[in-house]
Structures are given as C-alpha cells and as structure tokens.
C-alpha cells in the first residue's frame, strides 16, 4: 500500500526575491537645507491668496507632526526587524550545519536501493517500508511507518530534495540541494503542498546562495503561475540584513510586487522606509509614503504619493523635509524629470519654508535644476 501526501511535480521557487524586479528609488530630490532662492518677482501679497496659503501651511504643519512621529516609529520598528534578523541568521546557520548529514542520508537511500535493484522494502508485517518510483524525469524514494509517509527523497535533473516529518508539528521539513555541488539552496519548515491548487506553503522558507542566507520568508505561500505571498521577508547581503518587506505579494498575472511596508538598510542603519510599496515589471513604481534617514538614523524627509514612470519621470503630491531644528520646508504638487546631462530638474506648484512651527514664506512655481539653486515665479511672505 502506498500513500503519497507530497506532490512529486510541485515547482519549487528558488531565489524568488531576485525575480521581483525590485528597484530602490531615491527618497528625496535634493538637499533643501541650503537654498539660494531667486525670485522673478518678490511680491508680498495680501488678501485672499495670503489667507489661503497660510491655511494650507497650517494644514501642512499638522501633517508634518504626524509624519515626524511616523519617522520615529518606523525607525523603532527597524530595530525590532534587525533584532529578529539576528535570530533568523542563527537559525539559518543551524540549518546549514545540519544539511550535509541530510544530503548524505538522501544519497545513502538511493545507493542502498540501487544495490537492491530498487525493489520495495517490506516491514515485519509485510507492509511497504520503502518504495521507489520513477515518475517522468523524477526518481522518488518514500519511507513509511504503519502506512504513514515519514520521509521522501526526490531526484530530478537539477536538485535533490529531502522531506522529513517533524515529530513536533507532524508536518514536513524540506531541504533542497543542488545536484551538481550538493550545496543547500532551499529549506522549508512545516511545508504543505496542495495538489489540487498546485500550491506550496511553508511556515518559514530560507533561500541560500553560495552557502549564505539570501532570503527568509515567514508564512510563505506559492501558487504555481499565479502569485506568491509572505507575511514577512528578510533579504540578506554578505550575511547582513539589506531589506525587509511586510506583507509582500508577487503577482505574476499583473507583473507586480507589492508590500504594505518596505525597509532598506545599510548595515545596522535604516536608510529608507516605504509604505504601500508597488513595483512593476516596466520599471514604474508607486508609494503611499517614502521616508528618508541620515547616516545616524535620524528622519530627514517624507514624500507623499510618489509615482515614478518607466522613463524615470515622477510626480509627488507633497514632500516634507526636516533638519535638526524641525520642519525645514514642504513642497506641493511636484514633477521631476531627468535632463540630458543626467541631472534631475523639478517643479513645485508651491514650496513653503518653515522655522520649525512657523511658516515663513511660500514660493509659487518653484523650479530647481541644481542642488542649491531654486527659482520661482513669485514669493508670498507668511510671517
């Protein structure tokens, strides 16, 4: 009697993060701490326009307080993510350390079967204890105990996969090795395979490259040809955490990658944090909010409603910039494009400067072609 609970034809995802077409855009256009603003017509308006501008400035100040608090919260969250990544790396090292014995066990099963000409092995009650199957280009070895599948080895042209039932959970742990050099390329904990939906899930999935951890996905689900999802994904480079996704989904039908939050690290320092992140195969990207940090982890900027087209041109609803004194300036309705010389030029419908909690001036039609040179159609004093 043979009971098969693992689909021999399941397609395993290897290096799924590499196939996501993820790019990391700059979070700010320029440095606004030192601006040389040249006004075509410096006129102080009074009346309705000044009232409306002051009202918008107050609304922006209120939003800036929320954003500044969010910058701190995301930075604090990043400390938790970094701490968790250390535990994940430790677990991955343990998996790597154990993997040679797992591979050796898989090879011994095959060699032992070859000596027996792959005849089934029966137990003392004449029940199948080990069976051998040739299924297309896959060779499968199955071990049973009381008709219950306990271990399974799958050989194909690219890999050797070992499944072992975890006695604590009753589910399978999975190791996938490169058939050429025997290196571990994938590990799955508490693996479940749905043959009807042709799907694969794992409580925890690790992807390795050159015997180093590349990605770790938590609560990972892959549906063949449709999408893959994980509640959290940790991406590593040279044994250090390089990025983190919260609620990541890769949609193959729409050729997109989405996440509720996305962090980018440089060693232990958070560089950028994104909310409502979307990236598409044509190179276009969208962000709910994009947060920037300096080398000390201090929040410096937030872009709201950033959309970048495939050609690099972008639009942003609002951009907030902070310095050591608090809110520095806010730009509204921004368009940006790359010039022939490779530099980025921007245009803002309105640009407000602040002295922390006091609006100082509003520049109408502010355009910028260099890091410090900003020109405008006219300026309105608000203080």
């Amino acid at each position: 009697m043979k009971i098969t609970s693992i689909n021999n034809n399941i397609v395993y995802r290897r290096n799924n993060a590499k196939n996501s077409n993820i790019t990391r855009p700059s979070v700010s256009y320029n440095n606004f701490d030192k601006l040389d603003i040249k006004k075509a017509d410096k006129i102080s308006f009074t009346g309705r326009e000044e009232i409306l501008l002051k009202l918008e400035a107050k609304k922006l100040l209120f939003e800036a307080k929320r954003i500044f608090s969010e910058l701190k919260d995301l930075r604090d969250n990043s400390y938790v993510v970094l701490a968790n990544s250390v535990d994940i790396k430790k677990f991955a090292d343990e998996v790597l350390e154990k993997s040679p014995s797992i591979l050796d066990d898989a090879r011994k099963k095959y060699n032992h079967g070859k000596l027996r000409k792959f005849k089934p092995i029966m137990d003392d009650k004449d029940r199948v204890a080990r069976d051998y199957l040739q299924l297309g280009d896959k060779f499968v070895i199955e071990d049973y105990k009381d008709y219950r599948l306990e271990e399974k080895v799958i050989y194909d042209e690219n890999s050797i996969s070992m499944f072992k039932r975890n006695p604590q959970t009753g589910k399978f742990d999975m190791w996938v090795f490169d058939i050429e050099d025997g290196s571990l390329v994938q590990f799955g904990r508490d693996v479940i395979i749905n043959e009807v939906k042709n799907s694969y899930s794992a409580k925890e999935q690790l992807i390795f490259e050159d015997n180093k951890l590349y990605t770790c996905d938590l609560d990972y689900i892959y549906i063949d040809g449709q999408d893959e999802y994980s509640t959290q994904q940790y991406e590593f480079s040279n044994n250090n955490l390089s990025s983190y996704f919260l609620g990541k989904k890769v949609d193959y039908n729409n050729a997109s990658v989405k996440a509720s939050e996305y962090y980018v690290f440089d060693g232990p320092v958070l560089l950028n944090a994104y909310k409502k992140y979307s990236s598409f195969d044509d190179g276009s990207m969208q962000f709910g909010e994009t947060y920037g940090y300096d080398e000390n982890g201090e929040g410096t900027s937030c872009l709201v409603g950033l959309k970048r087209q495939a050609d690099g041109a972008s639009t942003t609803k609002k951009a907030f910039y902070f310095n050591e004194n608090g809110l520095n300036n806010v730009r509204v309705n921004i368009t940006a494009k790359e010039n022939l010389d490779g530099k980025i030029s921007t245009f803002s419908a309105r640009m407000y400067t602040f002295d922390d909690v006091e609006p100082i001036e509003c520049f109408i039609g502010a355009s910028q072609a260099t890091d410090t040179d900003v020109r405008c159609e006219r300026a309105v004093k608000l203080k």
Side-chain angles (χ1 to χ4, degrees):
M1 181 178 179
K2 179 167 80 277
I3 302 173
T4 303
S5 62
I6 297 177
N7 185 351
N8 302 307
N9 296 315
I10 191 69
V11 179
Y12 302 113
R13 297 297 301 161
R14 181 179 177 184
N15 298 338
N16 56 297
K18 274 192 170 180
N19 299 326
S20 302
N21 261 344
I22 297 169
T23 55
R24 301 182 177 98
S26 172
V27 299
S28 64
Y29 300 118
N30 302 97
N31 181 351
F32 292 98
D33 289 340
K34 298 178 180 178
L35 293 175
D36 179 17
I37 302 174
K38 297 178 176 61
K39 299 91 175 176
D41 297 292
K42 186 171 182 179
I43 305 173
S44 179
F45 285 84
T46 59
R48 181 173 175 80
E49 182 182 39
E50 184 176 348
I51 292 173
L52 292 174
L53 292 175
K54 284 184 176 181
L55 179 61
E56 184 175 39
K58 288 182 178 180
K59 291 180 178 179
L60 292 172
L61 270 170
F62 183 79
E63 187 173 1
K65 291 179 181 179
R66 191 268 303 172
I67 287 173
F68 194 69
S69 177
E70 192 68 21
L71 279 163
K72 292 181 179 179
D73 289 343
L74 290 170
R75 182 189 61 195
D76 292 344
N77 291 344
S78 75
Y79 297 151
V80 177
V81 170
L82 284 165
N84 290 341
S85 73
V86 174
D87 293 336
I88 289 171
K89 184 63 175 59
K90 182 179 179 181
F91 176 69
D93 290 340
E94 293 172 355
V95 170
L96 279 171
E97 186 177 355
K98 186 179 180 181
S99 64
S101 65
I102 300 295
L103 178 61
D104 186 57
D105 186 23
R107 286 172 170 167
K108 283 181 178 179
K109 291 179 189 292
Y110 179 86
N111 292 332
H112 182 261
K114 188 175 182 180
L115 291 174
R116 293 176 47 84
K117 297 183 179 180
F118 300 116
K119 293 181 180 179
I121 299 175
M122 315 302 289
D123 63 14
D124 56 2
K125 294 183 179 180
D126 201 31
R127 296 173 297 193
V128 174
R130 178 172 294 173
D131 204 1
Y132 305 93
L133 304 167
Q134 184 69 52
L135 302 174
D137 60 352
K138 294 179 174 63
F139 185 77
V140 183
I141 305 170
E142 298 176 332
D143 285 350
Y144 295 90
K145 183 177 180 181
D146 298 333
Y147 297 128
R148 186 191 189 195
L149 182 64
E150 295 294 332
E151 293 187 7
K152 186 168 190 169
V153 181
I154 301 176
Y155 279 81
D156 62 29
E157 60 181 356
N158 298 313
S159 63
I160 302 172
S161 303
M162 167 68 94
F163 297 83
K164 297 173 72 72
R165 189 179 294 277
N166 188 315
Q168 280 74 42
T169 65
K171 299 177 182 178
F172 285 90
D173 292 342
M174 178 192 73
W175 290 258
V176 181
F177 301 90
D178 186 281
I179 201 165
E180 295 293 333
D181 60 15
S183 62
L184 182 66
V185 295
Q186 184 176 354
F187 170 81
R189 181 169 66 87
D190 289 357
V191 167
I192 298 176
I193 295 174
N194 188 314
E195 298 179 18
V196 176
K197 295 182 178 180
N198 201 19
S199 66
Y200 159 87
S201 66
K203 188 68 176 177
E204 193 167 6
Q205 174 174 268
L206 309 178
I207 299 294
F208 296 90
E209 284 192 348
D210 300 325
N211 291 313
K212 294 180 181 179
L213 179 62
Y214 178 62
T215 60
C216 172
D217 289 270
L218 305 183
D219 302 314
Y220 176 81
I221 299 173
Y222 169 71
I223 302 176
D224 188 22
Q226 296 184 41
D227 54 45
E228 57 183 306
Y229 176 83
S230 57
T231 57
Q232 299 179 67
Q233 184 186 74
Y234 296 76
E235 186 175 10
F236 295 82
S237 177
N238 296 321
N239 290 320
N240 293 315
L241 183 67
S242 58
S243 62
Y244 167 82
F245 291 90
L246 179 66
K248 180 183 178 183
K249 181 180 180 181
V250 182
D251 189 332
Y252 294 102
N253 293 322
N254 295 323
S256 65
V257 180
K258 295 184 178 182
S260 57
E261 293 183 10
Y262 170 38
Y263 299 176
V264 177
F265 295 90
D266 181 14
V269 178
L270 177 65
L271 291 182
N272 308 132
Y274 308 88
K275 282 193 169 186
K276 296 183 180 179
Y277 167 90
S278 298
S279 177
F280 302 90
D281 268 3
D282 64 0
S284 62
M285 308 178 78
Q286 297 180 12
F287 311 87
E289 293 182 345
T290 303
Y291 299 86
Y293 298 82
D294 64 18
E295 63 276 7
N296 298 315
E298 296 297 327
T300 58
S301 64
C302 176
L303 276 59
V304 179
L306 170 62
K307 293 183 179 181
R308 196 186 75 174
Q309 301 173 11
D311 61 4
S314 66
T315 60
T316 304
K317 292 180 180 178
K318 287 172 282 190
F320 296 78
Y321 294 91
F322 303 88
N323 57 25
E324 65 276 4
N325 297 319
L327 182 62
N328 181 265
N329 64 81
V330 181
R331 304 178 72 189
V332 179
N333 293 336
I334 309 163
T335 59
K337 64 179 181 179
E338 185 174 349
N339 301 323
L340 295 176
D341 57 5
K343 295 182 179 180
I344 302 296
S345 63
T346 65
F347 175 84
S348 305
R350 294 174 301 284
M351 175 176 151
Y352 294 87
T353 59
F354 293 86
D355 181 10
D356 190 12
V357 296
E358 287 288 334
I360 300 173
E361 205 164 7
C362 178
F363 302 99
I364 309 298
S367 60
Q368 181 169 357
T370 66
D371 285 347
T372 58
D373 183 14
V374 175
R375 297 178 183 273
C376 70
E377 296 172 8
R378 66 181 188 276
V380 180
K381 285 190 173 294
L382 303 177
K383 184 179 179 181

